Amino acid sequence: MKLANLLMERRIKMDLTSRTKDEAVQELLTMIRDEGVDLDFETVLTSIREREEIEDTSYGRGFAFPHARTDAVKELYIAVGIS
């Protein structure tokens, strides 16, 4: 599986309004949910927050890759946000 095949134009948001990483994660999850993807929003958000507590996924210079493994979704989703 190539990650590039999972990246879809509709899941790229060029104008995030969020000011924190947590708000950005919520904004991107909302974008995925609003397109009709069946996901347990709160469980996914909690999983990402827990993963961030274990190891911060910020890589400096404004880049972060918050993610988590969870049974709350049926497949892998990638969303990109730029602020």
Side-chain angles (χ1 to χ4, degrees):
M1 168 191 346
K2 289 187 175 186
L3 292 179
N5 293 342
L6 296 171
L7 186 57
M8 301 173 191
E9 189 172 339
R10 70 177 183 268
R11 293 190 184 142
I12 299 172
K13 187 161 186 180
M14 301 292 288
D15 56 349
L16 284 178
T17 59
S18 304
R19 294 292 167 224
T20 67
K21 183 172 21 175
D22 190 68
E23 289 173 355
V25 169
Q26 290 181 62
E27 191 172 343
L28 293 171
L29 283 175
T30 298
M31 181 177 68
I32 292 172
R33 182 185 60 192
D34 289 350
E35 76 177 51
V37 172
D38 181 28
L39 61 86
D40 182 339
F41 186 91
E42 290 303 321
T43 300
V44 173
L45 183 58
T46 298
S47 296
I48 293 171
R49 285 174 175 158
E50 289 171 353
R51 168 65 173 84
E52 287 295 309
E53 287 178 20
I54 293 169
E55 184 178 3
D56 186 3
T57 61
S58 295
Y59 291 93
R61 299 190 188 274
F63 290 95
F65 301 94
H67 63 283
R69 288 180 187 247
T70 177
D71 292 330
V73 293
K74 295 177 178 60
E75 60 186 87
L76 179 64
Y77 297 96
I78 297 176
V80 175
I82 300 169
S83 74

